[in-house]
Amino acid sequence: MIQALRGMKDILPPDNARYEHILRTASAVAGRYGYTYVETPLLEETALFKRSVGESSDIVGKEMYQFIDKGGHDVCLRPEGTAGVVRMFIQNKLDKKGGLHRFFYHGPMFRYERPQKGRLRQFHQFGCESFGEASVYEDFTIIMMVKDIFDALGIGYEILVNSLGCPECMPRYREELVGYLQNIQEALCDDCRRRIATNPIRVLDCKNETCQRHLADAPLMSGHLCETCQSDFTTLTQLLTANRLPFRHDPKLVRGLDYYTRTAFEFVSSEIGAQSAIAGGGRYNRLVEFLGGKPTPAVGFALGIERIMELVKMPESAREGYYLGVMEPAALPAVLQAAHRLRQNHTVHTEYAKKSLKAHLKAADRLGARYCAVVGEEELSQNAIWVKDMETKEERRLALDALG
Ligand code: HAM
């Protein structure tokens, strides 16, 4: 028996209803914030992710589904959505057009990570990217949008925020951090030691307890922000406070992707175990230029649909639509016509086999139909159909033509 690959999951009933509910809710909220739906290919040139997510990130270094295609091109399955949307933005010359462009997307992402609860190799994200707005008010508005999505889904969260600085203040801070890390490198794990040269900021969020003990006095970005970065971060936290958002400044929040500048944030849930991040995002003002486009400020986020599926409670679904069946097969053509008429406005389940009334009622109940409609011998002779309201238990006989 061939099984699905490790870390990859089918989404089938009853979970599919939660999946759809999350997508529908998030898309509706994004629409109200002026975002429009876009799709980009699952497969892109590997260089796109190396340049954007960063060669020294775990995602590019260890987790890519990368291969050479039949034409000899180095390609990979997208590990995240931002890079593809930025490529789309530049390739379609939207950077040259100027103005504001706001997009949302959803679909599968692929990371060859060690599977565990909440961590899959194929998972689904819903994401938004906003191009052309440099104001920190846009960062705030994006965080409000994520809040609206989780509120609409009835999910609790805490928001972690940080500022990662800009090309003016980040290099100075990085130098100081590297100096500090070099002094304690003997005490750090292999990963951290390697990162001192490649990506020192990532050392700060190492999960190893010994490393964290030695990092207790490490210099933090928050003490090194330039005036503009500091003023933007203050504005952001003031706005979050004024709007009573449950946030905490986490000076060690660095995110696992290299493209961020200034605002970085994560929404975390305490109810789903170690993989607690349910959404993450931030500003990436340099990425469009870095990938060959006209310099364009940008900010975005993505949420992990599978992690949210663990948290979302579906509203009790009401009985809906019709179940149509026959006890007399001769009635089937007329019943199918009625089904087609009803389907213009209702969900309709049809059963083609001759069954007892009891069996039809049981099937209608299992399918969650509001009405069970059956043609028996007597109905056939009168060109009628027997209909039972499964909720009120009321029974009626109608002309078959009158149904639908
Ligand atoms: P990310 O933090 O790597 O950001 O992923 C966003 C969300 O995807 C996470 O918070 C988590 O819920 C979910 N996720 C990530 N990896 C897995 C996994 N292996 N299994 C299940 N769920 C997972 C990004 O991907 C950025 N592109 C977000 C962004 C958009 N930043 C700016 N614009």
Side-chain angles (χ1 to χ4, degrees):
M1 166 57 202
I2 298 170
Q3 307 265 335
L5 295 175
R6 194 159 168 247
M8 303 203 175
K9 268 193 183 169
D10 304 307
I11 300 171
L12 67 161
D15 292 345
N16 58 350
R18 259 177 295 146
Y19 184 94
E20 274 191 297
H21 177 54
I22 295 164
L23 264 192
R24 235 182 288 125
T25 306
S27 306
V29 173
R32 293 203 288 274
Y33 276 78
Y35 285 72
T36 54
Y37 180 65
V38 291
E39 265 200 50
T40 64
L42 299 197
L43 208 57
E44 297 269 8
E45 261 187 56
T46 301
L48 174 67
F49 301 108
K50 282 194 173 165
R51 260 193 256 165
S52 53
V53 177
E55 298 242 24
S56 60
S57 66
D58 280 354
I59 295 179
V60 169
K62 305 184 195 164
E63 298 168 3
M64 298 245 275
Y65 277 88
Q66 182 183 353
F67 60 96
I68 306 296
D69 75 6
K70 288 191 168 68
H73 305 290
D74 188 348
V75 296
C76 95
L77 286 170
R78 63 180 184 193
E80 59 103 49
T82 309
V85 175
V86 173
R87 184 210 35 76
M88 173 203 85
F89 179 73
I90 301 167
Q91 188 175 335
N92 291 280
K93 302 191 170 53
L94 301 175
D95 54 333
K96 308 278 186 319
K97 251 189 182 168
L100 300 180
H101 303 268
R102 297 193 176 101
F103 304 117
F104 77 90
Y105 54 89
H106 48 78
M109 309 291 159
F110 303 84
R111 297 183 191 174
Y112 198 85
E113 297 191 78
R114 197 168 48 78
Q116 63 178 79
K117 186 174 172 336
R119 196 202 273 153
L120 293 159
R121 288 181 172 166
Q122 176 176 333
F123 59 97
H124 296 77
Q125 284 186 346
F126 175 94
C128 288
E129 313 294 349
S130 160
F131 296 96
E133 181 55 82
S135 166
V136 69
Y137 291 115
E138 187 74 349
D139 309 24
F140 166 70
T141 304
I142 284 242
I143 293 175
M144 286 300 271
M145 171 162 54
V146 186
K147 166 201 151 52
D148 281 356
I149 293 171
F150 289 142
D151 287 355
L153 291 169
I155 287 175
Y157 49 80
E158 184 187 21
I159 308 169
L160 309 178
V161 288
N162 195 19
S163 174
L164 298 175
C166 68
E168 200 188 305
C169 50
M170 174 53 104
R172 260 181 289 139
Y173 164 66
R174 194 182 153 115
E175 222 171 274
E176 193 175 325
L177 179 65
V178 168
Y180 177 90
L181 296 175
Q182 277 166 344
N183 282 334
I184 57 160
Q185 61 178 316
E186 295 310 319
L188 299 177
C189 70
D190 290 350
D191 266 354
C192 286
R193 270 209 295 272
R194 196 170 30 79
R195 282 185 179 137
I196 296 176
T198 58
N199 199 349
I201 290 132
R202 278 307 309 271
V203 174
L204 293 177
D205 79 343
C206 177
K207 302 287 175 278
N208 183 310
E209 278 177 24
T210 317
C211 293
Q212 275 309 327
R213 257 201 319 279
H214 285 88
L215 289 166
D217 300 324
L220 297 170
M221 189 68 227
S222 39
H224 296 74
L225 293 175
C226 65
E227 215 175 295
T228 322
C229 288
Q230 184 57 60
S231 139
D232 269 7
F233 191 60
T234 306
T235 305
L236 178 67
T237 52
Q238 281 171 349
L239 285 166
L240 296 176
T241 307
N243 286 276
R244 297 199 174 83
L245 267 75
F247 81 97
R248 178 160 60 86
H249 175 199
D250 178 357
K252 288 190 178 162
L253 178 74
V254 297
R255 310 270 301 123
L257 309 100
D258 288 356
Y259 46 64
Y260 293 109
T261 47
R262 295 197 177 149
T263 307
F265 64 87
E266 271 181 12
F267 280 61
V268 294
S269 160
S270 54
E271 290 169 47
I272 47 168
Q275 302 305 313
S276 60
I278 49 176
R283 187 161 271 287
Y284 49 96
N285 285 349
R286 307 251 292 157
L287 187 56
V288 176
E289 183 182 5
F290 202 57
L291 291 175
K294 196 173 148 201
T296 308
V299 55
F301 79 93
L303 51 82
I305 298 181
E306 282 82 358
R307 290 188 192 168
I308 294 160
M309 282 167 73
E310 299 268 314
L311 295 164
V312 76
K313 285 170 201 66
M314 287 296 285
E316 258 315 288
S317 71
R319 292 192 164 278
E320 196 206 339
Y322 286 77
Y323 169 97
L324 263 53
V326 294
M327 289 153 76
E328 286 300 327
L332 208 46
V335 165
L336 290 180
Q337 278 176 9
H340 185 250
R341 288 194 303 272
L342 283 169
R343 280 197 176 109
Q344 308 313 305
N345 295 304
H346 303 280
T347 303
V348 180
H349 304 277
T350 42
E351 170 58 70
Y352 310 129
K354 171 181 172 170
K355 283 189 175 162
S356 70
L357 183 59
K358 200 173 152 201
H360 283 309
L361 284 165
K362 211 167 151 188
D365 185 43
R366 211 179 41 241
L367 288 162
R370 170 79 192 258
Y371 300 100
C372 176
V374 177
V375 179
E377 196 181 339
E378 216 178 305
E379 286 81 15
L380 181 64
S381 66
Q382 297 171 12
N383 210 11
I385 189 161
W386 174 87
V387 183
K388 177 169 179 174
D389 184 329
M390 305 290 282
E391 225 160 76
T392 64
K393 313 289 177 213
E394 187 192 332
E395 298 174 21
R396 283 182 299 163
R397 187 173 288 161
L398 297 177
L400 196 44
D401 297 348
L403 201 61

